[in-house]
Amino acid sequence: MPTNRPTLYLPILLLSAILLITGLACLVLIPTPGAPLDSSPQPAGTARQPTNGQATPEEFSGSNLNESELHGPGDYNLPAPSAGLNGLDNYTQNFTYTLDATLNGQPYQAHTLVRRIVFTAGSSLGVLEATRTGGQPIYRAALRQEGGLLYVQQAAGQPCRASQDPKRADAVTDPSLRLPPVYGAERIGRDEIEGLPAIHYQFDQRAVRYAAGQSGTASGDLWVTEGSPLVLKYNLTIESTEGEAPGVQTWEYSVSHVNTSESVSLPQGCLTLPLDLPLLSDAQNVILLPGFARYSSASTPQAALQFYRDEMTRAGWSETPVDESAAGPLALTYTRPDGEGAQLASVRIEPESAGVQIIIQLMRLKNVPNSAAGNAPVPNASPTETP
């Protein structure tokens, strides 16, 4: 507990919570390109400025509250709710945030759900769904595979975008970074959560005064792994009857499947080779990268040619003319409208001693090419991430 009497600025209260829900839709979903990941757990006992814009009690000034109202009566502090995660082989996080308030005299509601499965070996899957009054529903699923390949799905059941940039931030970040830090929680007793021994703590608005504001009330519970800073459960409700947006906020967070296996796979509709580009049924030695696929098949060149003509046409692609009498590989080119431009898919069929090798490349075009131009070079074409 600080020896100098800490004080508060004017409380942010629920108006900032409304901004927070927007932050969940932006910071969690659309990380700034090149920005460092903010999901690195901190060592136990290391204070850290919370990423949700809240401050620690020591940084407040200008309040009429006394010292006992700025720190809970207990002796347990949780400055970094993400602490302990980096000591796990794998885990699953579930997070729910709700806001039920009155803004400018009108009801305002926001709701966010996050489920995130993390393997420290390099793969993770996160799914976020959010709604708010006056805004469009938000959905985001992101799968990161070992090696840095990242697939992002922006609508349930839709194809994914893929990126090979290993430095790109996850599109669904650690939800524990959205939890208000706690100062002065009281120990209640021992429990067992997910088969792990845990210490149960309780706290009120004094322990989260910087989140509750000067007049807000709060009630919360923590379950922390015994002998570790790992938070297994975190529940918090903050209520305010004053300010520009009176109402109720709730946070519910849990960690499960600690160091146990849970499958991580692409969401439904999120194909590793999007654009509904087909592969022959006997495909072998398959290499799939954003905008690129290569594999072998025992099919004959003519059988592979007919397969792609049938399947690509069925998927809405238009074929440009190809000279089948020319010796060597067959090169098929397909286009399909995509917004103001088009997508171009090149399918190369190369004969081999035991069948064929298929190479598929994808490009995005700024202009819609004239199919009568045949296989001439297409201007304004650039490699693309898979959509």
Side-chain angles (χ1 to χ4, degrees), residues 10-345:
L10 291 177
I12 298 175
L13 298 177
L14 293 175
L15 187 59
S16 288
I18 295 171
L19 298 178
L20 172 62
I21 194 68
T22 303
L24 284 169
C26 296
L27 294 177
V28 172
L29 297 181
I30 312 173
T32 302
L37 289 176
D38 193 26
S39 58
S40 300
Q42 302 294 308
T46 301
R48 174 181 63 176
Q49 175 69 17
T51 59
N52 52 15
Q54 299 161 348
T56 60
E58 292 80 0
E59 295 166 327
F60 295 136
S61 61
S63 167
N64 295 322
L65 298 175
N66 59 47
E67 186 170 326
S68 66
E69 295 176 286
L70 293 171
H71 193 284
D75 57 6
Y76 183 77
N77 296 332
L78 183 69
S82 62
L85 292 175
N86 62 347
L88 306 178
D89 292 332
N90 58 276
Y91 55 90
T92 298
Q93 297 169 297
N94 286 282
F95 174 71
T96 302
Y97 172 82
T98 59
L99 170 64
D100 192 345
T102 300
L103 180 63
N104 297 325
Q106 300 297 320
Y108 182 94
Q109 294 181 325
H111 187 70
T112 298
L113 294 173
V114 178
R115 177 172 171 82
R116 187 166 174 262
I117 305 172
V118 178
F119 285 79
T120 56
S123 61
S124 64
L125 171 66
V127 179
L128 184 149
E129 299 177 77
T131 60
R132 60 186 176 91
T133 300
Q136 293 294 322
I138 297 170
Y139 172 92
R140 183 66 58 91
L143 172 70
R144 181 178 292 279
Q145 295 181 335
E146 294 184 29
L149 189 58
L150 177 66
Y151 293 94
V152 179
Q153 184 184 57
Q154 298 183 359
Q158 296 299 311
C160 293
R161 296 180 63 87
S163 170
Q164 266 189 292
D165 183 0
K167 297 182 180 179
R168 182 173 178 177
D170 286 342
V172 180
T173 56
D174 183 353
S176 68
L177 299 174
R178 301 294 105 195
L179 303 175
V182 178
Y183 294 89
E186 293 184 280
R187 177 169 174 159
I188 300 302
R190 284 185 170 88
D191 282 326
E192 187 174 286
I193 305 294
E194 291 282 323
L196 298 175
I199 306 299
H200 181 192
Y201 298 92
Q202 287 185 341
F203 57 95
D204 59 20
Q205 61 277 0
R206 293 170 292 179
V208 288
R209 180 59 72 185
Y210 42 89
Q214 295 190 38
S215 61
T217 61
S219 61
D221 290 89
L222 291 172
W223 286 265
V224 182
T225 306
E226 191 168 5
S228 163
L230 176 64
V231 176
L232 294 173
K233 288 184 66 176
Y234 180 120
N235 296 333
L236 171 63
T237 298
I238 293 179
E239 182 174 3
S240 175
T241 58
E242 299 179 2
E244 297 183 32
V248 178
Q249 303 173 77
T250 62
W251 291 259
E252 296 181 355
Y253 170 83
S254 65
V255 173
S256 61
H257 298 87
V258 173
N259 294 337
T260 61
S261 298
E262 184 172 7
S263 61
V264 173
S265 58
L266 289 167
Q268 184 176 3
C270 181
L271 304 177
T272 52
L273 184 62
L275 281 179
D276 52 34
L277 292 177
L279 303 183
L280 287 159
S281 59
D282 65 341
Q284 297 180 354
N285 304 318
V286 179
I287 297 176
L288 297 176
L289 297 173
F292 177 86
R294 183 175 65 201
Y295 69 96
S296 299
S297 167
S299 299
T300 64
Q302 288 302 317
L305 174 69
Q306 191 61 49
F307 171 82
Y308 276 99
R309 280 184 165 163
D310 293 343
E311 294 300 321
M312 296 293 280
T313 300
R314 184 177 295 113
W317 292 84
S318 298
E319 181 184 352
T320 59
V322 59
D323 183 5
E324 298 179 39
S325 64
L330 296 172
L332 305 176
T333 302
Y334 293 89
T335 58
R336 186 167 67 177
D338 179 24
E340 297 181 356
Q343 299 166 338
L344 182 147

